[in-house]
Structures are given as C-alpha cells and as structure tokens.
Amino acid sequence: MSLNSIFQYFVPKDRKFFPLFEKASGNLINLGEALNELVHTNDLNRKTELTKNIEDFEHVGDDITHQIFLEMGKNFITPFDREDIHALASAIDDIADFIHGSAARMQLYKITDNTVPVQKLSELILQGCQDLHKAVCELKNLKNIRVITDSCVRINSMENQADYVFDRAVADLFEYEQDAKLIIKYKEILSALETATDKCEDAANVLETILVKNA
Amino acid sequence: MSLNSIFQYFVPKDRKFFPLFEKASGNLINLGEALNELVHTNDLNRKTELTKNIEDFEHVGDDITHQIFLEMGKNFITPFDREDIHALASAIDDIADFIHGSAARMQLYKITDNTVPVQKLSELILQGCQDLHKAVCELKNLKNIRVITDSCVRINSMENQADYVFDRAVADLFEYEQDAKLIIKYKEILSALETATDKCEDAANVLETILVKNA
Amino acid sequence: MSLNSIFQYFVPKDRKFFPLFEKASGNLINLGEALNELVHTNDLNRKTELTKNIEDFEHVGDDITHQIFLEMGKNFITPFDREDIHALASAIDDIADFIHGSAARMQLYKITDNTVPVQKLSELILQGCQDLHKAVCELKNLKNIRVITDSCVRINSMENQADYVFDRAVADLFEYEQDAKLIIKYKEILSALETATDKCEDAANVLETILVKNA
C-alpha cells in the first residue's frame, strides 16, 4: 500500500488493469440496457430472450473480474492501491450479480407484469452504470478529474432516489396488496434492484478514494 | 500497514482522526437515545419528530464518515493501521444506518404499537453505543486499556442477548401472529434492529484488533 | 503486504497459522455431518441433540477464529498476506455461523419435516466443507497445488448447484405452498443454507488468491 505510493514514479504506464476495468464497466451498460428492455416489454418470448442475455452478460463479467484478480496476484506494482483495485472490481461484479439476480427472480417467480417502481429502479440502475463507465474510462489519465467527480455525485443522488422508490414501493405493497405471496415476491425483486444501486454507490466511493489518494 | 508500525515513533500526536471518531461515536448515542424515546412514546406527533431527528443524526454521521475517509486519503501516516481506521469508521456508519433504517421502516409500515422485543432491542442498541463511545474515547492515549477491553466484552454480551431476543421474537410471530403481512413487517424491523447490534460487535472487534497490535 | 513478499525467504516454517486453519476447516466437517444427520433423521430427540451439537461446534469455531486473529496481531510476519489470512478465517467462521443459523431456525420455527431441497443443500454444504478441508491441509507446503485447485473447482461447481436448488425450491414454494407463514419460514431456512455455500465459495476464492501469489 505505502510502497505503491513510493514506487509510483517508476511504474510503467499500466496496460493491464485499465482496459479490464473499462471492459467490466462497459459490460454493466449491456446489463442495464437488457434489464430496461425486460421491464418494459410485454412480449413474453422477448422477456425469456432478455433474461438469457442478462445471464450471459453476467458470465462475461465474472470472467473479467477473475482476470483482474489474476493480474493482481501476478503484479507486485499496481496503478493504484491493491485494496482499491479489489474493492472496485468486487463492486462492479456485485452490480452485475444483482442485475442478474433481479431478472432471474422475475422469471422464476413468474412475474410478467411491468410495475412502475420496478421500471423506475431499472432506469436508475442503467443511469448509474452509464455514469460509472464514464468515470472508469477517465481513471487511466486522471486528467479530467471533474468528469469522475461529477459522475460520483450523480451516482450518489441516483442511489438516494432508488432508496426512496424502494421504501415507497414496499410501503405501498403493504398498504394495497392483499396477497402475502405477491408481497413477498415483489419485495424480493425490488430488494435485489435496490441493492444493485447500493453497489453502484460502493463503486463510486472507491473511485472517490482513488481520486483523493492520487490528486 | 507495516510501514506504519516502523514509523509510529515519529508520528506527531494525531489531532485529526481521534476527534472525528469521538464525534462519530458520540453521534451514535444521540441516535440510540432518539430511537429509545421513539419506541416508548405513544404520542404520534412526537414519533414523527423523533423519526426526523434520527434522519438528521444519520446525515451528521455520514458527514463525519466522509471526513474520516478524506483524512485517510490525505495522510500517509495514520495513528493506527489504515485498514482498521476504515473498518472502524464503516462499522460506526453502519450502526447509524441501521438505527435510521429501523426507525424509517416503523414510520413507512405505519407501525405505531410499541412491542416489547422492539423496545428491548432498542435498549440493547443504546447500551452498545454508550460502551462503544466510552471505548473510542480511550483510543487516543491507550492508557486505560482496561476500559476498552471491558466495553468490548459488554458489547459482545449485548449482541448475544440481541440475537436471543430477535430469534425468540421471530419464533413468537410465527407462533401467535396470524396476519402474514404483520409478520413480514415486524420481521423487517426486528431484523434491522438486530443488524445494528451486529455492527456494534464489528466495531468492538476492530477495537480489539487495534489493542492487540498496539499493546 | 508487500513487505511480506520481500521477507518471505526469512520466515521460519510457520507453526501457528497452519494448525489453526486445519482445526477450523476440520471443525466445519463436524458441523456439516451433524447438519446432514439433522435433516435426515425423524427422531425428534436426536434432532434436539444434533442442534445442540451444532451450537457447540460453532462455539469451538469462534474460539479458533479468535486465536487466528490474536496471532495476526502478535506476528509482524505471516506465512501469507495478512489480508488473505483475515479473509480465509472470516469465510470459515461465516460458514460455521450459517450452518448453525440454519439448524437454529429449523428448531425455532418448529420445522420437523425433512424436505428434499433442505437435504440436498445440506449435502452440498458437507461436500464443500470436505473439499475446503482437503485444500486447507495442502496450504502448508504448497507441493500438491493440484489438490487445492481441484478442490476449488469442485467448490465453485457445488455453489452453482446450490444456487439452482435454492432458486427452484423458492419458486416451488410460491407455486405449491398456500400457507404464507410456511413460505416465509422455509425461505429463511433455505436462504441460510444457500448462504453457507456462498461462504464456501468465498473461502475457495481466497485459496486461489493465495495460490496465484505464491506459485
């Protein structure tokens, strides 16, 4: 950790970690877009197809995360602190997992209705993934720090909105839904979606940490 | 991490981290006290007011956590290991989040009855926050290690009691409550309260780690 | 972290960490075996006895984890990176906690029926604990890296199977079980069992990290 800071002037331009992180955050946009189409379409065949696509994107993400961890093991010197590389890769992996988990539950629980809070949370997730990707792409030169900072601010505000949508949606379920089974099912799906936005915030927090250390 | 140990004799008396940690743990007492009044009063207006206070205290806590992370980024040398500073600040932040989450759910789910297990868990949380604050205030000189150790022991025993209260309360819900909706609502609130006590234990574990390293 | 790598040639053969880890993973086998008998027997007295045994094994595990953390605080040089020791000990401790949590909930919620998905998940957990123990026992010399790699591959595949069993079981509950209370109870138990397999995977991931760093 501290040795990294000492050695940072001798580190050759990193050609391993940055491209992997850009792939990982780019993959999140694919996941976010598929999720959004899934919760807006009424075509059941298309829903099945999109759920399958989301599963495939999630596997792609797993492979990228695995490659990042392998590179960490092989490289004594890393472009930023090892703990931050680990935390950022894990947060991106978690976002993918929870997007996939939400879609998988919709299919498993045979939820085919597209409700407004589910759509709203999916839109917030996509927006978070887009901001995250924008910020990650700036990491390699840190010349446009402002782009990263602005993305992080928007991700934090997105997560606050998601909290509000989730809390309101669960309260409404208790208020207006009589079928306990449906309450449990929707609560599970809303909760997976909301956790995806928490993980976006975790990723943004890591980016801010990296900025502070390297500014 | 290891460099910290080497350099520790050259570190000037820390004036940044200790005051922030004392503020953070002091803020937990405010949260714990407001929570306790909330689950004991029957005055609905006062309940609304207290829920708002808890939200405000939680924002204060967020700011303190943010300042601790900023200081970590700015300081190469820290009074104890960076990983422990991060873990302690995160645990304190989590306690605040779960106290706030419990109160917010009571309001959202329109739970106005004060049940005994909710009261008991709230009392245990306040007790945990008081012990944590006492221990954190001793960190700066480490002269009264016994105060820290005793607080940690009490926090661990508090968390065990909270586990028992929670398990018993959930089992009783299944046994005596017929309304599935109410079961789900109370289970959510009890679970948020119980997680707050887990986070107290996490904080106590970090304190013990710091003691072992610096004794 | 980095200093460890520099100093590793001077580290005397570790006699502290490896025996503790072997004890910890050996203890998981006891937990896994007791869990399996518990979900297969119909003898209610034996069930009570086994639940008590599981609680005792979990306390044994707590003590071992505590000893590992104490050793970490006392030793400047460790046989592999401190972060990995911490992560491995925590993952093993979590596996024990979730096995115990599953058994405790069965008792608390008065679930005496042995359902197929609960049995299947318990078998997968035992298999994961056995593979984990096998791998941990190879850590001390790293001569049979293949044994560790193979165990990790099997643990990953086991966790995938557990995910499938869990998802299917919850979907079936929604499809065929009318009693919302029973749905909630079984979902809680299945979820604790499934989380135990996640924690096995976490432990396997740490083992792979250690391998990559030391190969």
Side-chain angles (χ1 to χ4, degrees):
Chain A
M1 191 167 60
S2 347
L3 282 181
N4 270 341
S5 315
I6 297 171
F7 283 126
Q8 67 183 353
Y9 300 101
F10 310 109
V11 182
K13 193 116 196 63
D14 167 82
R15 285 194 196 81
K16 286 168 183 161
F17 290 99
F18 294 129
L20 285 170
F21 273 117
E22 291 181 20
K23 260 203 209 172
S25 58
N27 187 51
L28 289 185
I29 298 187
N30 295 335
L31 278 157
E33 287 176 344
L35 175 68
N36 269 275
E37 194 183 337
L38 174 69
V39 300
H40 281 96
T41 185
N42 290 312
D43 176 342
L44 295 189
N45 289 331
R46 184 68 188 137
K47 274 190 191 285
T48 308
E49 207 168 49
L50 286 160
T51 307
K52 180 73 184 63
N53 294 351
I54 287 172
E55 200 181 326
D56 293 342
F57 288 135
E58 198 256 342
H59 288 316
V60 171
D62 278 348
D63 286 343
I64 305 171
T65 313
H66 195 63
Q67 278 175 269
I68 294 174
F69 288 161
L70 280 183
E71 288 301 330
M72 273 181 72
K74 283 193 276 180
N75 291 276
F76 183 73
I77 307 287
T78 50
F80 39 92
D81 283 354
R82 306 174 73 83
E83 58 193 18
D84 298 328
I85 292 184
H86 193 282
L88 183 58
S90 301
I92 292 178
D93 194 66
D94 287 345
I95 299 169
D97 278 357
F98 281 96
I99 292 178
H100 170 243
S102 316
R105 287 175 192 185
M106 292 178 207
Q107 189 177 53
L108 268 166
Y109 303 169
K110 301 188 179 169
I111 297 288
T112 50
D113 278 11
N114 299 320
T115 67
V116 173
V118 165
Q119 291 176 330
K120 185 70 197 142
L121 285 173
S122 302
E123 286 155 22
L124 289 169
I125 289 170
L126 175 57
Q127 182 192 313
C129 294
Q130 286 163 337
D131 275 317
L132 193 56
H133 183 57
K134 206 179 290 175
V136 163
C137 290
E138 289 300 323
L139 269 184
K140 64 176 164 290
N141 49 39
L142 292 182
K143 273 182 199 148
N144 294 304
I145 287 184
R146 189 60 189 270
V147 174
I148 305 183
T149 326
D150 286 353
S151 297
C152 291
V153 169
R154 277 196 305 271
I155 290 171
N156 276 292
S157 133
M158 175 282 291
E159 195 274 335
N160 280 338
Q161 287 178 63
D163 269 358
Y164 179 81
V165 173
F166 173 77
D167 284 341
R168 197 60 264 156
V170 173
D172 283 349
L173 280 175
F174 285 132
E175 188 104 27
Y176 303 113
E177 178 58 62
Q178 296 313 319
D179 181 346
K181 251 193 216 185
L182 271 178
I183 294 179
I184 303 171
K185 283 183 189 181
Y186 273 113
K187 214 167 126 292
E188 287 290 303
I189 290 162
L190 291 164
S191 160
L193 292 166
E194 195 269 334
T195 308
T197 69
D198 288 344
K199 300 298 175 179
C200 284
E201 194 184 25
D202 287 353
N205 289 341
V206 182
L207 292 178
E208 285 190 327
T209 308
I210 293 171
L211 275 201
V212 172
K213 285 181 185 172
N214 295 277
Chain B
M1 190 165 58
S2 348
L3 282 181
N4 270 340
S5 316
I6 296 171
F7 282 125
Q8 66 183 350
Y9 300 101
F10 311 110
V11 181
K13 193 115 195 65
D14 167 82
R15 287 194 195 82
K16 286 168 184 162
F17 290 99
F18 294 129
L20 285 170
F21 273 118
E22 290 181 20
K23 260 202 209 173
S25 58
N27 187 51
L28 289 184
I29 298 188
N30 295 336
L31 277 157
E33 287 177 344
L35 175 68
N36 269 275
E37 194 184 336
L38 175 69
V39 300
H40 280 95
T41 184
N42 289 313
D43 175 343
L44 296 189
N45 288 332
R46 183 69 186 137
K47 273 191 192 284
T48 309
E49 206 168 50
L50 286 160
T51 307
K52 179 74 184 62
N53 294 352
I54 287 172
E55 200 182 326
D56 293 343
F57 289 135
E58 198 256 342
H59 288 317
V60 171
D62 278 348
D63 286 343
I64 304 171
T65 312
H66 195 64
Q67 278 176 268
I68 294 175
F69 288 161
L70 280 182
E71 288 301 331
M72 273 182 72
K74 283 191 275 179
N75 291 276
F76 184 71
I77 307 286
T78 50
F80 40 92
D81 282 353
R82 305 174 73 82
E83 59 194 17
D84 298 328
I85 292 184
H86 193 281
L88 183 57
S90 302
I92 293 178
D93 194 66
D94 287 344
I95 299 169
D97 278 356
F98 281 96
I99 293 178
H100 171 243
S102 316
R105 287 175 192 186
M106 291 177 207
Q107 188 177 53
L108 268 166
Y109 303 169
K110 301 187 178 169
I111 297 286
T112 51
D113 278 11
N114 300 319
T115 68
V116 172
V118 165
Q119 292 175 330
K120 185 69 196 144
L121 285 173
S122 302
E123 286 155 22
L124 289 169
I125 289 171
L126 175 56
Q127 182 191 313
C129 294
Q130 287 163 337
D131 275 316
L132 192 57
H133 183 57
K134 206 180 290 175
V136 163
C137 289
E138 288 300 322
L139 268 184
K140 62 175 165 291
N141 48 39
L142 291 182
K143 274 182 199 146
N144 293 304
I145 287 184
R146 189 60 189 271
V147 174
I148 305 184
T149 326
D150 286 354
S151 297
C152 292
V153 169
R154 277 196 306 272
I155 290 171
N156 276 291
S157 134
M158 175 282 290
E159 194 274 334
N160 281 337
Q161 286 178 64
D163 270 357
Y164 179 80
V165 173
F166 173 76
D167 283 341
R168 197 60 264 156
V170 173
D172 283 348
L173 280 174
F174 286 131
E175 187 105 27
Y176 305 113
E177 179 59 60
Q178 296 313 319
D179 182 345
K181 251 193 216 186
L182 271 179
I183 295 178
I184 304 171
K185 284 183 189 181
Y186 273 113
K187 213 166 127 292
E188 288 289 303
I189 290 161
L190 291 164
S191 161
L193 291 166
E194 196 270 334
T195 308
T197 69
D198 288 344
K199 299 299 175 180
C200 285
E201 194 185 25
D202 287 353
N205 289 341
V206 182
L207 293 178
E208 284 190 328
T209 308
I210 293 172
L211 276 201
V212 172
K213 285 181 184 172
N214 295 278
Chain C
M1 191 166 57
S2 349
L3 283 180
N4 270 341
S5 317
I6 297 171
F7 282 124
Q8 67 182 351
Y9 300 102
F10 309 109
V11 182
K13 193 114 195 66
D14 167 82
R15 287 195 195 79
K16 285 167 183 161
F17 290 99
F18 294 128
L20 285 170
F21 274 117
E22 290 180 22
K23 259 203 210 173
S25 58
N27 187 50
L28 288 184
I29 298 187
N30 294 336
L31 277 157
E33 286 177 346
L35 174 68
N36 268 275
E37 194 183 337
L38 175 68
V39 300
H40 280 95
T41 184
N42 291 312
D43 176 342
L44 295 188
N45 289 331
R46 184 70 187 136
K47 272 190 192 285
T48 309
E49 206 168 49
L50 286 160
T51 307
K52 180 73 183 64
N53 294 352
I54 287 172
E55 199 181 325
D56 293 343
F57 288 135
E58 198 256 341
H59 288 316
V60 171
D62 278 348
D63 286 344
I64 305 171
T65 312
H66 195 64
Q67 277 176 269
I68 294 175
F69 288 160
L70 281 182
E71 288 300 330
M72 273 182 71
K74 282 192 275 179
N75 291 276
F76 184 72
I77 307 287
T78 51
F80 40 91
D81 282 353
R82 306 175 73 84
E83 59 192 16
D84 298 328
I85 292 185
H86 193 280
L88 183 58
S90 301
I92 293 178
D93 194 66
D94 286 345
I95 300 168
D97 279 355
F98 281 96
I99 293 178
H100 171 243
S102 318
R105 287 176 193 185
M106 292 177 206
Q107 188 176 52
L108 268 165
Y109 304 169
K110 302 187 177 169
I111 297 287
T112 51
D113 278 12
N114 299 320
T115 68
V116 172
V118 165
Q119 291 176 331
K120 186 67 197 145
L121 286 173
S122 302
E123 286 155 23
L124 288 169
I125 289 170
L126 175 56
Q127 183 191 312
C129 294
Q130 286 163 337
D131 275 317
L132 192 57
H133 183 57
K134 206 179 292 175
V136 163
C137 289
E138 289 300 323
L139 269 185
K140 64 175 164 293
N141 48 39
L142 291 181
K143 273 182 200 148
N144 294 303
I145 287 184
R146 189 60 189 271
V147 174
I148 305 183
T149 325
D150 287 353
S151 296
C152 291
V153 170
R154 277 197 306 272
I155 290 170
N156 276 291
S157 133
M158 175 281 291
E159 195 275 334
N160 280 338
Q161 287 178 63
D163 269 358
Y164 179 81
V165 173
F166 173 77
D167 283 343
R168 197 59 264 157
V170 173
D172 284 348
L173 280 174
F174 285 131
E175 188 104 29
Y176 304 115
E177 178 59 59
Q178 296 312 320
D179 182 345
K181 251 194 216 186
L182 271 179
I183 295 179
I184 304 171
K185 284 183 189 180
Y186 273 113
K187 214 166 126 292
E188 288 288 303
I189 290 161
L190 291 164
S191 160
L193 291 167
E194 196 269 334
T195 308
T197 69
D198 288 343
K199 300 297 175 180
C200 284
E201 194 184 25
D202 287 353
N205 288 341
V206 182
L207 293 178
E208 285 190 327
T209 308
I210 293 171
L211 275 201
V212 171
K213 286 181 184 172
N214 296 277

